[in-house]
Amino acid sequence: MVVHAEIRMVHRGGSKINFREPVITHDSRFLLCAAGESVNVYSTSTEEYVHDLQGHTDLVTGVVLNPSNHLQVYSCSADGTVRLWDFTDAILIKTFIIGYPIYSIYVSEKHGGVVFLVVPMANYKSSELFQLVAVHLPHSGDQEVEARELSAVLCDVSHHPGAASFGREGEYIAAVKGLQLEVFFFKKQKSYRFSLKSGMKKGAKNAFTCVSCHPKEDCIATGHEDGKIRMWRNFNQKKEYTYSTLHWHHGAVNTLCFTPEGTNLLSGGIESVLVHWHYTQENQKDFLPRLGAAITHIAVSPDGSLFCTSHSDNKITIIQSCVKVSAVIQGLVKGDGVWTNLIIDPRSKALVLNGKPGHLQFYSLHHDKQLYNLDIVQQEYIHEEGLDQFEVVKAAFDARGDWLATVEERRKKGAELEINLKLWAYDELTQSFVLNTTVTAPHEDRITAMFFSPSPETTMLVTTSLDGHFKAWLLADHSDANEGFWACDFVGGYHLLKPGCCSFSADGSLLSVGFQEVVTVWSPASWELLTTLSQPPGAIRDLCFGRLSCSKYLLGASTKNQLCCWNLLTCSLEWSTPMDVSLLQTDPLSENIAAFCSQSGSSDLFVFKPSEPRPLYSQKALCTGKVQHAVFAPRDQMLESCEERTQWLNRSQLYFLTQHMDLLTFSTKTEEDRLLASSKQLMVDDSVAVTPFYLLLGKHRGQQLEKQEALTNPMAERTQLPQGSIAIKELLHTPAHVLPSASFLCAMFVRSLLISSSSARFKSGLWLYHSRTLRLVSDMYCQLRDQIISN
Amino acid sequence: MASFKSTKIPIYPKLGEKVTPDTLYWKNYKAPVQIKEFGAVTSIDFSSLAPHNYAVTASTRIHIYGPFSTEPVKTFTRFKDTAYSGKFRSDGQLLVAGCEDSVVRLFDVSGKVALRVFKGHTKGVHVTDFTSDCYHILTGSDDYTCRLWDIPNSTELTSYKEHTDYIRCGTTSKLNRDIFITGSYDHTLRVFDARVEKSVMTMDHSQPVESVLLYPSEGLLVSAGGRYVKVWDLLKGGQPLVSLKNHHKTVTCLSLSSNGQRLLSASLDRHVKIYNTTNYKVVHNFDYAASILSLALAPDDESIVVGMTNGVLSIKHRKSPEEKREMVGKQRMQPVYRIFVKGRNYVPKKDDFLVSKPVKSHLAKYDKQLKKFNISKALDTALESWRRNRKPEITVAVMKELDRRGTLKNALAGRDEQNLSQLLNFLIGNVVDPRFTPVLVTATEMILDIYQAVVGQSSVVDRQLVRLQELVEREVDYQQDLLEVLGMLDTLFATSLPRKEVPCPGSSRPNGLAEGSLGAPGPQLQAA
């Protein structure tokens, strides 16, 4: 990594915001949630991202409000620290070093200055045994404090953050694991354990999943694998405890939460329905159905007016008083897998990939924000485990972005495959895609590749399938008033071999289809087989044509560790190299081709031109596992980097998706500098809710105000003038010990204040100005002297 | 939070013709009026005079019908034998007809007795016509001659004996009084000029010619004979322009629509085909009950009159605009529920306080039940008799949706005899429909799994199961036959396509598979 210091690999597409329970602040204005190595702050009313709290060096595993100061928040992380933040200004107040990776954090009002953490048991660092410990946070003025005094409260607890909860006024803490509920009373320093039978008969699964305690009464609600909720009472003894059962969920109860007054209990699970139980009338319940994906966490604001639910599709929903969804914070949906390639929408330049089940998500790479979801399957999603669902497996855009083709499939166990090919036309009016044609069962077997012809004259789609055919689809003539529909134009095959991949040349005049070991080259105009190329052994895995000056080359990667390059003018092999290429990707704006090789558990990247023997860029051990998909995204602004190593990143950026569903990209130094500059510009006062409107209007209004002020008071403008000058910045922000002598500084400073004689506007009040300046200079000088002395 | 997504009912393409302006125009006729004549109707001719009566020649009579009458307004019966080719003069006053007894008779439309009788032919006369100056008559006969007669003197002017077989059709030029065209069973068409001794143009149709037709401009000539309709360019010396083969039996009659844009041909195969005269494509087709011998269109296409071999005369009248409007009005009168919702069109006034109410989307009954996970009820709703019979695609779509939810088995189970027999009836009716087969086969298998324990308890169900079994066996045999035919066709196509050599790259690299030629991209069965 040191060698390629100028090119850095960075994560894109945000991180998981549904990893831990979000927190709503006391005034209900902000929502805080753990997101990767930082804590993100969102506005609850506008769902906009405000800022983040950065400092942790590993995954943040918990966020809680400081019970003694509601403007502060504790966060814990797997890096073994607990940090205290001022979340309104994003200032790190203190760092407590614990020394063990922390899995969750609990606090209570009654236990001031104490946090309860779940850490691995000291003796079994490697194993899956955890304990709940109390840590007294030492009072000291230092930024970094070591807090190594741990006192164990409960042993053998679950690391799941929902598996423990403080009871009424912090008198006891309840924790669940497996088939056991354990309640620890702090006053008596005694714990009681309650076990359930495994209950394997009748299919009941009694294991606990989560726990929540009533804030005002002695009552504990526990959720179970089989969807039951048990309400435990009278548990301060071993014998006479009672419980009642509530049952609505058909899957496991993922999370439970009492409202602050304890009048309601909220529960959620895979059904993606928020169930709202009335505490006093337990058989009465309200529902908020179809929230989109399985609910993983529920949080309630301290005043009880807002609920928020985290969902398995990396989404946080904010709900107002249990009836209305008021805001949705949506990150890049990271589903179970991405089957479609990474695609760039030619219109919005958004990255398109699988989103929610049955949807395609459009993700803006430049704003790092999801634009919208397009419902492809258009069926009611049934939230049930083990159900075969329709999945979008292929998607493709035509060259202008007018057409989108999608393939969805559902593999029933033992039954035949259901495939639908759908073609979507872009509608200017609604600014989205509208379904035009649905082809049921376009092929008899799985579709392996689908591409639009890049030529601007014809809109043609080619699909290849394991049934041994490839089909070309054309838009039927739209002579009628209504627009045309798509129909099959040509069916091709080659010796009943199964086609695995296909590729169009850049101008759309050639189509190459890889039939196992043979590459066939067709002319889409006449559907003639022009030539066949092959380089046995090894089936062709991926094909691509060269671009621009290299358009005479056709590259193919085979399964038997070979990357071949054919010259299409001579129909002969130009070169070949032994490389286990898993993915080939061409840059649409240059001749460059990126090849990802998988070698001994990690992936390597080579960027090269087909005509040149030396690769432009290579990176060994890019990431662990195989790179699944990759795409070159064109930049909206070209970079002017002259360095040879980074030149390939000038026009477009390479994004790729690893096995662990991390979206990564390469970034250069110049680019980062530019980004930094732009982010500074965007700093806004967060006392006003940040909305896109505010960003547009607020700035504008601010400028207007300034202007008005300047008009009414011309002097004000002048006194303000020097504040922004570079000289002052230099003066005040440079560390004192590196500054030159004061006399030298003063001369320089005064010179910077002088106004060139050409600006006639200031001439009239020049003497006044000078007097003011001199006063200012003397002030500054005093300030500077103080600073130097204090240092 | 998204709303409930209703079950997608697939729209299956409607088989049949596409709706074009032509089909709309030619379908806009009322149900035909049928009149029984005494024998085969050999000729129909419209008078060009205002009420547009038409003369129908059948057997030994000529009837003249008014445009809307079902009874003849006039009858000519003075024929000794079968009459042929009753034709009006262009002023509508006179009518000429040939006869099997070789005599040509000229009638006054208002009289009964023949005004003139032209004798001279030795065999039956099948062709008669007036020349454009109205003073001469053209006749063509089975004695291979065609003659011109003078009406005032009732004498024969000229006779041409150039054809070598029966003359069965002919027409005179409407622009030139001396030019006429005849078609004969000797496969030729001849153009004659009365001022010249011989024919001026001969065209070979290569089938016995049954009918000829001149375009109003008289630059193009259309002839029908055998299964062919051919168009000739007279201005280029009789060059063939198009040959149409859209009928599968002899074409007997030709006609032009009033604007000259469409050509109609009638045939013994009981069809009337309508061609576009610019590209000669068939744009519409009429079916009739019997072989057609004669066809005529009233001016402005007001009616289509067709005579058939079984002596039936079929008249189709164009729908009047009022009737059309009535039809539209009737459709609009159907009650629409939403129209009658009170206050729907109310526009809020300035000071009104608006209470917005969420618009409830309407869900079908089965969707409402699916929303509540009432699967058995949803299936019951989908199996209601009218839906089952009228819209089986809805029933199948609901079954598919249940299958997707993994609950089809539960929904199918627990049914009593009546319910089960209803279900089996539906399966018997639709399981071999290619649109529904994939879903219904799964459902059938499930039903057999669930109810195999109760087989033999009810005679009704048993009978239906046997029927189902027979149906499936028959379908399997049928599919096997189809596959055999497909195999035969594949071999035929493979042999008929020329083997194309693939250009072999001249490289030193081994390119073993390149020598194999391309497997013929023959017809592939496209899955529906």
Side-chain angles (χ1 to χ4, degrees), chain A residues 693-709:
Chain A
F693 271 121
Y694 173 75
L695 288 179
L696 268 176
L697 250 163
K699 218 191 283 175
H700 183 61
R701 188 163 293 164
Q703 280 169 358
Q704 264 184 347
L705 278 177
E706 262 171 39
K707 250 184 224 166
Q708 268 176 357
E709 235 170 73

Side-chain angles (χ1 to χ4, degrees), chain A residues 411-646:
Chain A
R411 169 82 74 180
K412 281 186 283 184
K413 276 180 229 92
E416 60 188 297
L417 187 71
E418 280 181 59
I419 314 177
N420 289 329
L421 170 68
K422 283 182 178 168
L423 287 132
W424 307 74
Y426 189 78
D427 185 17
E428 293 281 355
L429 208 68
T430 55
Q431 297 279 306
S432 72
F433 286 92
V434 180
L435 185 61
N436 176 277
T437 310
T438 307
V439 185
T440 321
H443 282 277
E444 279 147 45
D445 209 338
R446 229 164 247 260
I447 290 179
T448 52
M450 176 169 75
F451 287 103
F452 271 102
S453 160
S455 82
E457 291 96 50
T458 54
T459 34
M460 181 197 287
L461 179 74
V462 169
T463 54
T464 63
S465 160
L466 290 182
D467 64 2
H469 299 301
F470 72 92
K471 289 187 183 179
W473 308 82
L474 272 184
L475 189 60
D477 58 332
H478 34 114
S479 50
D480 308 345
N482 55 349
E483 58 179 321
F485 54 89
W486 289 74
C488 186
D489 180 54
F490 177 74
V491 181
Y494 186 80
H495 289 288
L496 299 176
L497 293 174
K498 288 178 179 173
C501 50
C502 75
S503 172
F504 271 105
S505 66
D507 57 352
S509 62
L510 289 178
L511 169 71
S512 67
V513 184
F515 285 94
Q516 285 168 2
E517 285 153 7
V518 190
V519 178
T520 56
V521 182
W522 305 73
S523 150
S526 59
W527 289 119
E528 258 181 289
L529 179 62
L530 298 176
T531 186
T532 56
L533 308 159
S534 80
Q535 194 63 30
I540 298 294
R541 194 187 271 159
D542 210 347
L543 273 175
C544 71
F545 279 93
R547 306 257 157 182
L548 306 172
S549 66
C550 298
S551 56
K552 61 182 175 184
Y553 297 110
L554 171 66
L555 285 107
S558 75
T559 50
K560 289 274 160 63
N561 295 350
Q562 216 158 30
L563 176 66
C564 310
C565 176
W566 289 281
N567 188 334
L568 289 170
L569 299 178
T570 59
C571 290
S572 61
L573 192 72
E574 190 86 1
W575 50 264
S576 76
T577 167
M579 247 166 122
D580 187 18
V581 176
S582 60
L583 198 65
L584 275 176
Q585 191 70 38
T586 50
D587 183 356
L589 299 178
S590 67
E591 293 99 342
N592 301 334
I593 292 176
F596 289 92
C597 313
S598 53
Q599 228 166 35
S600 59
S602 68
S603 287
D604 304 338
L605 167 71
F606 296 93
V607 181
F608 59 94
K609 282 185 187 176
S611 53
E612 285 174 26
R614 205 164 54 89
L616 295 169
Y617 176 80
S618 67
Q619 166 98 53
K620 293 264 177 202
L622 200 63
C623 60
T624 56
K626 231 166 140 182
V627 169
Q628 304 284 311
H629 305 285
V631 72
F632 274 100
R635 287 182 193 274
D636 51 353
Q637 250 180 311
M638 239 185 79
L639 281 188
E640 278 106 33
S641 164
C642 326
E643 277 181 82
E644 207 188 339
R645 303 203 70 85
T646 60

Side-chain angles (χ1 to χ4, degrees), chain B residues 91-369:
Chain B
D91 60 359
Q93 299 293 327
L94 296 179
L95 181 107
V96 69
C99 184
E100 192 58 49
D101 63 1
S102 79
V103 178
V104 178
R105 290 176 176 83
L106 181 75
F107 298 93
D108 186 358
V109 171
S110 51
K112 256 187 181 309
V113 190
L115 285 181
R116 296 278 190 278
V117 175
F118 305 101
K119 288 180 183 166
H121 281 295
T122 54
K123 278 186 179 163
V125 179
H126 281 257
V127 182
T128 59
D129 205 355
F130 291 96
T131 57
S132 60
D133 63 356
C134 301
Y135 301 131
H136 304 303
I137 288 170
L138 159 75
T139 57
S141 161
D142 286 355
D143 61 7
Y144 311 162
T145 61
C146 56
R147 300 173 195 217
L148 276 178
W149 310 81
D150 186 39
I151 299 172
N153 302 328
S154 113
T155 51
E156 183 187 317
L157 293 175
T158 39
S159 171
Y160 298 94
K161 193 174 185 301
E162 293 194 11
H163 285 293
T164 54
D165 207 334
Y166 300 156
I167 297 169
R168 284 291 165 89
C169 57
T171 184
T172 55
S173 160
K174 298 285 173 289
L175 304 176
N176 190 319
R177 59 175 212 174
D178 293 321
I179 288 177
F180 60 92
I181 299 149
T182 55
S184 156
Y185 277 11
D186 64 0
H187 303 185
T188 58
L189 295 156
R190 284 176 194 271
V191 181
F192 294 96
D193 189 337
R195 295 161 292 191
V196 182
E197 292 291 306
K198 285 175 75 181
S199 66
V200 291
M201 215 182 278
T202 308
M203 287 152 278
D204 185 17
H205 185 89
S206 54
Q207 267 89 23
V209 184
E210 295 282 352
S211 178
V212 290
L213 182 76
L214 263 174
Y215 268 68
S217 65
E218 305 202 341
L220 295 180
L221 174 75
V222 190
S223 66
R227 294 159 60 193
Y228 293 88
V229 174
K230 292 187 176 175
V231 183
W232 312 85
D233 194 340
L234 289 181
L235 303 179
K236 282 191 186 166
Q239 192 181 328
L241 205 63
V242 208
S243 173
L244 308 169
K245 192 184 146 191
N246 294 91
H247 287 282
H248 55 266
K249 278 188 186 169
T250 303
V251 182
T252 51
C253 198
L254 293 168
S255 177
L256 269 180
S257 75
S258 55
N259 57 2
Q261 299 289 309
R262 300 285 180 268
L263 173 71
L264 288 87
S265 70
S267 153
L268 293 179
D269 65 2
R270 301 182 289 150
H271 294 298
V272 172
K273 305 232 177 215
I274 301 166
Y275 308 84
N276 186 334
T277 51
T278 49
N279 56 9
Y280 293 102
K281 290 244 166 73
V282 176
V283 294
H284 196 71
N285 180 37
F286 289 118
D287 291 354
Y288 282 93
S291 302
I292 303 164
L293 289 180
S294 52
L295 161 83
L297 258 80
D300 293 333
D301 301 340
E302 280 307 316
S303 51
I304 302 170
V305 185
V306 162
M308 287 172 271
T309 47
N310 59 357
V312 172
L313 185 72
S314 159
I315 306 131
K316 279 183 179 174
H317 293 289
R318 177 163 281 280
K319 282 176 190 158
S320 57
E322 294 93 63
E323 279 171 293
K324 231 167 143 187
R325 214 171 299 131
E326 250 172 50
M327 286 291 288
V328 176
K330 241 181 226 165
Q331 281 167 353
R332 200 176 287 160
M333 279 305 285
Q334 282 171 353
V336 179
Y337 168 72
R338 277 160 200 280
I339 297 281
F340 296 107
V341 176
K342 202 176 168 188
R344 191 180 153 77
N345 300 329
Y346 183 78
V347 181
K349 299 209 175 65
K350 199 182 143 200
D351 295 329
D352 283 355
F353 183 75
L354 266 176
V355 179
S356 64
K357 208 170 129 192
V359 182
K360 235 181 170 180
S361 62
H362 175 74
L363 285 181
K365 208 171 162 193
Y366 51 86
D367 270 338
K368 277 184 194 157
Q369 279 150 347

